[in-house]
Amino acid sequence: MPTALITGVTGQAGSYLAELLHRKGYRVVGMHRRTSTPTTGRIAHLLEQIEIAQGDLHDQLSLIDALKQYQPDEIYNLAAQSFVPTSWNQPVLTAEATALGVTRMLEAVRAVDPSVRFYQASSSEMFGKVREVPQTESTPFHPRSPYGVAKTYGHFITVNYRESYDLFACSGILFNHESPRRGLEFVTRKVSHAAASIKLEVQDTVGLGNLEASRDWGFAGDYVEAMWLMLQHDSPGDYVVATGTAHTVREMCEIAFGHVGLDFEDHVVSDPNMVRPAEVEHLIGDASKARNVLGWQPRVGFKELIEMMVDADLELIERTSRNET
Ligand code: NAP
Ligand code: F7E
């Protein structure tokens, strides 16, 4: 039974990956940082099946100890400060976790067991002000936020450790992936939750920023399969993971509100605080390499994804109003 260590197991993608690897028969160890209130909501249903290691990307020794104790065959480094607007408020913390955290994980691999297979959660935010459309593994990067800059460092340090030390280190350049487990501050979940709340008369309006921004949005459950496939291949590499279709925030609002019989124009108001100092206007990925080399392809389409999120939020809000967990 192979052992996988997932950093960021309490996050959206970490929870889907833990489910996938458990189903595949792995011994799954999730790395979790100590917090004063529980953050294990997304993996509450898995806590009997997986093991939890305490560690923090800011603390080198905690990473080395986790590797020594659990001796993983595969490491999925998903932990990061992942919310783009926060990266302007806390650029140094973002760099510590999202950039230097990757080096700390790679140093732990080098120190404890260089044969471990390593996955780094890179991001389409590295493309930023895009140099070509669609974006591929060879498109140059031009990040537009401290988060994007930190991820670009994380990507290149992963490539560098592969080339310098012959590590089996892969970088997955994943485009936006969403689900009912997405954090409430990200735009898809903010909109799905607002559409459900407005339908159920819990609120009346929602404030959004740039409605014309366009993203290549896929389903997180599909994207974690690509992570796993990268580490099963016979050689390490970098892969774009995307659907190849893009939609604007405006189109997403139309689908979410339309699904509950509402017109988004009656409820979406402009919130200048949500406009970013530097925006990524348009992202669309070409995942031909992942499709041809790994045999990966997405299953859930955009409309289905947004409607799934609205349905889940309707259920969540109704359950909460009945005081159930
Ligand atoms: P997420 O929901 O924000 O989860 C982030 C995880 O990182 C959480 O488990 C968080 O723990 C943990 N974490 C943060 N700082 C940490 C630290 N210093 N030490 C240890 N753990 C720490 O993110 P996600 O959407 O699942 O994304 C997973 C990864 O993929 C991230 O690296 C993200 O940047 C990257 N990515 C995401 C997307 C996307 O569209 N979702 C696309 C490309 C790349 P707490 O629960 O304690 O906060
Ligand atoms: O914004 C616009 C906003 O915060 C998407 C992270 O997982 O994916 C994610 O980063 C777009 C932007 O995601 C609001 O300006 C309009 O253009 O949902 P988001 P993101 O910034 O694309 C990448 C791939 C990652 O790697 C990141 O970790 O939507 N937008 N109005 C808004 N965005 C938010 N959050 N809130 C608004 O009110």
Side-chain angles (χ1 to χ4, degrees):
M1 186 197 275
T3 299
L5 176 74
I6 304 172
T7 75
V9 73
T10 54
Q12 174 191 228
S15 68
Y16 283 103
L17 182 64
E19 275 171 12
L20 176 78
L21 297 180
H22 174 65
R23 272 202 311 278
K24 288 187 180 294
Y26 279 71
R27 172 187 180 223
V28 178
V29 181
M31 202 188 84
H32 172 51
R33 56 177 170 168
R34 192 261 161 193
T35 48
S36 63
T37 45
T39 55
T40 48
R42 291 186 180 100
I43 52 165
H45 60 298
L46 286 172
L47 287 173
E48 304 275 295
Q49 282 91 45
I50 68 173
E51 294 165 59
I52 297 293
Q54 217 179 79
D56 193 306
L57 288 187
H58 297 267
D59 189 293
Q60 178 75 71
L61 201 54
S62 71
L63 308 179
I64 292 176
D65 282 347
L67 266 63
K68 279 187 179 158
Q69 184 176 347
Y70 295 97
Q71 300 181 359
D73 302 285
E74 298 173 9
I75 294 175
Y76 296 85
N77 186 37
L78 308 188
Q81 190 304 95
S82 78
F83 190 48
V84 171
T86 295
S87 76
W88 277 285
N89 297 345
Q90 299 179 22
V92 175
L93 178 132
T94 301
E96 278 292 344
T98 306
L100 282 181
V102 187
T103 309
R104 293 191 192 99
M105 281 307 302
L106 287 163
E107 281 292 282
V109 169
R110 232 163 55 80
V112 178
D113 181 2
S115 73
V116 170
R117 294 189 170 207
F118 180 85
Y119 172 85
Q120 167 57 18
S122 292
S123 167
S124 53
E125 280 295 298
M126 302 187 305
F127 296 121
K129 192 170 182 177
V130 297
R131 304 280 181 87
E132 62 180 354
V133 180
Q135 294 85 50
T136 72
E137 292 79 8
S138 56
T139 302
F141 299 136
H142 185 147
R144 294 273 281 169
S145 62
Y147 169 81
V149 173
K151 279 287 174 189
T152 305
Y153 173 93
H155 170 79
F156 278 126
I157 200 72
T158 302
V159 173
N160 179 261
Y161 271 49
R162 180 170 75 219
E163 293 174 354
S164 303
Y165 304 115
D166 206 21
L167 297 187
F168 194 110
C170 296
S171 171
I173 307 172
L174 270 55
F175 283 60
N176 298 53
H177 40 284
E178 318 293 317
S179 74
R181 297 183 199 166
R182 185 57 137 155
L184 278 164
E185 67 275 45
F186 297 88
V187 76
T188 51
R189 183 75 199 288
K190 186 172 174 180
V191 168
S192 69
H193 195 267
S197 302
I198 292 167
K199 177 68 184 172
L200 296 173
E201 299 180 351
V202 178
Q203 70 187 66
D204 189 43
T205 58
V206 59
L208 296 179
N210 180 7
L211 297 189
E212 308 317 323
S214 154
R215 290 288 183 279
D216 181 332
W217 277 296
F219 174 51
D222 290 344
Y223 284 35
V224 297
E225 288 186 17
M227 299 176 187
W228 176 74
L229 284 168
M230 284 178 219
L231 295 200
Q232 311 318 305
H233 195 57
D234 45 22
S235 55
D238 307 323
Y239 296 88
V240 160
V241 177
T243 69
T245 57
H247 299 271
T248 59
V249 174
R250 181 182 296 280
E251 289 170 322
M252 192 254 299
C253 291
E254 267 168 21
I255 292 175
F257 282 82
H259 187 53
V260 290
L262 298 172
D263 183 344
F264 84 94
E265 307 239 25
D266 296 336
H267 302 281
V268 170
V269 296
S270 168
D271 183 349
N273 294 321
M274 292 296 146
V275 176
R276 299 178 179 186
E279 177 63 290
V280 173
E281 296 293 348
H282 182 73
L283 288 175
I284 181 164
D286 175 354
S288 304
K289 183 179 172 191
R291 191 168 56 246
N292 297 333
V293 178
L294 304 176
W296 177 83
Q297 55 181 19
R299 294 192 181 89
V300 178
F302 179 64
K303 187 165 184 284
E304 189 186 347
L305 170 65
I306 299 304
E307 292 182 348
M308 173 209 302
M309 293 175 69
V310 175
D311 287 339
D313 277 321
L314 285 168
E315 203 191 309
L316 175 73
I317 296 162
E318 282 176 327
R319 218 172 44 229
T320 311
S321 71
R322 293 195 303 265
N323 274 333
E324 295 168 17
T325 49

